Amino acid sequence: MELNELWKAALGEIELQVSKANFKTWLRNTSIVEKRGSAVVIGVPNSFTKEWLENKYHKFILGSLRNLESGIKEVSYQIRQNSDNENVKNQPINREEGGKIFGKQLDFQELTTDAITNLNPRYTFDNFIVGSSNELAHAAAMAVTQNLGRKYNPLFIYGGVGLGKTHLIQAIGNAVKKENPAKKIKYVTSERFTSEVISALRSGHLRPNEIDEFKKRWREVDLLIIDDIQFLAGKEKTQDEFFHTFNALYDAGKQIILSSDRSPKSIQTLEERLRSRFEGGMIADIAYPDLETRIAILKSKANERSVELSDEVFEYVAQNIKKNVRELEGALNRLIAANYQSKKAADLNEVKKLLNSVLSAPKKSTTLKGVIKAVVEFYDISEKELLERSRKKEIVKPRQIIMYLLREEMKSSFPFIGMKIGGRDHTTAIHACEKIKKELESDQGLNDEINSIKERLYLI
Ligand code: ADP
Ligand code: MG
């Protein structure tokens, strides 16, 4: 096997064993740089990733490589400036099993976004299942696609985590791009927008041009899509900048699409002028899908992956996962993974056993415990170590992130944070929050990580 092929196949297996967020965080931008005899060298983008792969994922990596080529005995990691592997980025993984492609198109969505628009081509109207829970939002989205900037402006879509907001708003972008490639489209999360505002403002002190360039960049688009706008709450400078961008685009008849996990009314600390702007357009919500819709979604996803399961199995899964389409997909992935490994058709009892842990997992919320759990799970570290005084780098950073989240998401006091997280002084908590805040300004990776953690935190 070619090195690229080998690594793609190995990633396909590793992906099934680690969480999606972890996969995205630690395995993106890796490649095999060398294979000599029984030793393989994996190229990684930085030392943090190197440490992480060595300590946490080595056994998965070695295991899946050996499954593919039993001669492989050793794996080491090497930091490479440019270990972007275009192949891994752009091609879906196909797994051959006895001539049959199994688990076609593994979920590589984060790795295939268009560099200019930031849109992921996987999100289309074609593969969006419409049911009573989302038909209004879907109809509005279609109407906007046909009447860009003229019908519903802005279009504001809101609903709970994992219900298809990102899918739908990106589908609009992809449809517009297909019909009219000349249109300038930009999709961003509000976190990304915030970090761009902050960095423009900062460098603007030194080079005033920077702010003008920033303005120009955002104001020349025909379609601006901002995802998870609720994260603008409380960020005054960003809201201010966004307000001006919004007005400039709106006045020029350009289309704006926004998503949020709640209605404009329920976003606390959103400036009144923005709220009324949002309410001036079309607001559509996405509710929990009903049973028929859930089954239809499962079937369509299974079909995309060329997997066949019995109606009984579809129904069982759909009956047990009601509030999150992403979790439905997760259950399906799990079945696919198990099916592949045990190489036998899944019967209902086996399915029940397999999904037991998924279905009975406690739900997360924003409590002290919830925050700790989300971070511990995300970084795959032990809670005990985290709460003790370990100074290991791989523990210190998650600990600081917990402190930051307790402050930002729960408005906990510094003495409380210090006390609860390992009996520390309030100055430690202040320092941790400041540090993370500062790093967030320039570190996109950290932004992504914290976003994923927040997503976990708000899973209802
Ligand atoms: P949100 O942005 O609301 O948190 P996403 O758009 O990321 O949710 O959806 C989560 C997953 O569920 C995605 O993989 C998406 O493709 C899928 N999904 C959600 N709703 C639908 C639907 N109606 N039809 C098909 N797939 C859906
Ligand atoms: Mg989303």
Side-chain angles (χ1 to χ4, degrees):
M1 244 194 261
E2 285 241 352
L3 295 187
N4 268 342
E5 292 291 310
L6 178 62
W7 190 230
K8 264 198 293 174
L11 283 178
E13 266 196 35
I14 297 163
E15 195 192 16
L16 300 171
Q17 303 172 62
V18 304
S19 77
K20 191 167 148 191
N22 275 328
F23 183 81
K24 183 176 142 192
T25 309
W26 307 116
L27 289 147
R28 175 159 53 187
N29 298 339
T30 57
S31 58
I32 296 186
V33 291
E34 192 183 278
K35 179 167 167 270
R36 233 187 250 164
S38 62
V40 168
V41 181
I42 311 284
V44 299
N46 53 50
S47 65
F48 200 54
T49 304
K50 178 167 183 281
E51 234 170 81
W52 216 268
L53 293 185
E54 279 168 352
N55 294 333
K56 300 277 176 199
Y57 294 128
H58 183 69
K59 98 170 172 275
F60 296 133
I61 293 173
L62 181 61
S64 33
L65 284 169
R66 290 189 63 155
N67 277 346
L68 294 158
E69 284 191 18
S70 54
I72 295 173
K73 300 261 176 326
E74 247 175 74
V75 173
S76 60
Y77 305 87
Q78 198 181 77
I79 299 165
R80 311 254 305 172
Q81 283 314 318
N82 247 332
S83 59
D84 256 25
N85 184 334
E86 284 306 318
N87 272 323
V88 168
K89 268 192 162 168
N90 296 329
Q91 286 170 20
I93 288 178
N94 288 338
R95 191 202 300 274
E96 299 277 343
E97 194 216 12
K100 181 176 166 222
I101 294 176
F102 212 91
K104 209 176 85 191
Q105 288 187 356
L106 279 167
D107 200 2
F108 259 59
Q109 47 176 298
E110 280 78 10
L111 308 182
T112 56
T113 45
D114 178 305
I116 297 162
T117 61
N118 232 352
L119 288 168
N120 185 320
R122 280 198 45 207
Y123 295 124
T124 63
F125 282 118
D126 284 346
N127 60 12
F128 188 82
I129 305 289
V130 185
S132 54
S133 56
N134 57 23
E135 67 187 332
L136 178 66
H138 176 261
M142 294 289 269
V144 162
T145 308
Q146 302 304 326
N147 305 278
L148 215 56
R150 285 178 285 132
K151 189 147 182 152
Y152 300 133
N153 209 8
L155 172 63
F156 190 105
I157 305 271
Y158 74 93
V161 175
L163 295 181
K165 302 180 297 293
T166 298
H167 188 137
L168 194 57
I169 60 180
Q170 290 217 22
I172 303 175
N174 281 318
V176 170
K177 186 174 144 197
K178 197 167 161 203
E179 265 170 45
N180 196 342
K183 292 268 186 232
K184 285 204 173 110
I185 305 169
K186 214 167 159 78
Y187 165 89
V188 277
T189 62
S190 71
E191 298 287 72
R192 180 64 174 260
F193 182 80
T194 302
S195 70
E196 291 204 19
V197 169
I198 292 168
S199 84
L201 289 174
R202 275 208 312 181
S203 32
H205 289 306
L206 308 169
R207 289 189 297 135
N209 276 350
E210 198 83 9
I211 293 180
D212 293 338
E213 276 163 26
F214 170 86
K215 294 197 161 131
K216 192 162 161 276
R217 207 165 55 237
W218 287 92
R219 289 170 200 188
E220 67 185 13
V221 299
D222 300 302
L223 167 58
L224 176 62
I225 307 174
I226 303 198
D227 206 349
D228 289 320
I229 200 91
Q230 73 272 9
F231 292 130
L232 285 192
K235 294 171 181 153
E236 280 165 37
K237 281 235 168 67
T238 311
Q239 288 193 26
D240 196 42
E241 206 44 59
F242 177 66
F243 182 71
H244 294 304
T245 305
F246 185 103
N247 286 342
L249 289 174
Y250 185 85
D251 291 343
K254 305 300 177 61
Q255 180 72 44
I256 300 149
I257 299 173
L258 307 161
S259 88
S260 165
D261 66 351
R262 54 206 105 158
S263 73
K265 266 198 191 58
S266 333
I267 308 178
Q268 278 148 24
T269 64
L270 183 69
E271 283 179 37
E272 208 39 55
R273 53 182 184 166
L274 271 181
R275 198 189 316 272
S276 66
R277 276 303 200 178
F278 294 169
E279 286 172 347
M282 169 73 173
I283 301 182
D285 76 321
I286 301 186
Y288 296 134
D290 54 24
L291 181 66
E292 282 67 40
T293 311
R294 299 199 296 277
I295 293 177
I297 292 174
L298 273 175
K299 285 193 171 168
S300 127
K301 302 276 172 193
N303 199 22
E304 266 177 31
R305 313 261 304 255
S306 310
V307 176
E308 279 177 38
L309 295 168
S310 68
D311 281 353
E312 220 184 6
V313 169
F314 282 129
E315 255 185 67
Y316 177 77
V317 177
Q319 252 156 6
N320 284 283
I321 301 177
K322 299 183 172 141
K323 297 192 169 172
N324 188 325
V325 177
R326 193 174 296 128
E327 282 180 9
L328 274 180
E329 284 191 283
L332 183 68
N333 284 341
R334 214 175 184 149
L335 295 180
I336 292 174
N339 206 9
Y340 170 68
Q341 277 157 8
S342 67
K343 293 193 175 64
K344 61 178 179 230
D347 74 44
L348 194 58
N349 276 335
E350 202 186 328
V351 168
K352 285 184 183 167
K353 248 193 288 162
L354 276 167
L355 296 183
N356 210 2
S357 61
V358 185
L359 298 177
S360 58
K363 295 294 175 200
K364 292 116 187 163
S365 60
T366 25
T367 54
L368 171 68
K369 269 207 173 114
V371 173
I372 294 176
K373 185 157 184 291
V375 174
V376 162
E377 277 181 11
F378 183 81
Y379 290 106
D380 207 2
I381 52 180
S382 95
E383 182 171 332
K384 187 161 167 288
E385 231 182 336
L386 187 112
L387 295 176
E388 285 167 359
R389 297 190 163 247
S390 164
R391 287 181 181 277
K392 277 194 229 156
K393 191 167 150 200
E394 57 179 283
I395 301 290
V396 170
K397 185 181 150 195
R399 186 186 289 135
Q400 288 174 337
I401 290 175
I402 290 187
M403 294 186 171
Y404 167 83
L405 287 171
L406 288 175
R407 182 72 187 166
E408 294 293 310
E409 302 296 306
M410 289 181 56
K411 311 287 171 231
S412 304
S413 75
F414 288 122
F416 174 86
I417 297 172
M419 187 178 75
K420 289 295 177 187
I421 309 300
R424 289 171 173 77
D425 190 37
H426 72 281
T427 53
T428 313
I430 295 176
H431 170 76
C433 295
E434 292 303 319
K435 184 150 184 288
I436 297 294
K437 252 192 200 157
K438 189 142 199 311
E439 279 175 27
L440 279 174
E441 288 171 16
S442 56
D443 184 343
Q444 189 53 42
L446 185 63
N447 272 294
D448 291 342
E449 284 168 41
I450 290 189
N451 276 342
S452 304
I453 295 169
K454 279 191 197 159
E455 262 184 26
R456 285 165 169 249
L457 211 52
Y458 290 114
L459 284 185
I460 328 157

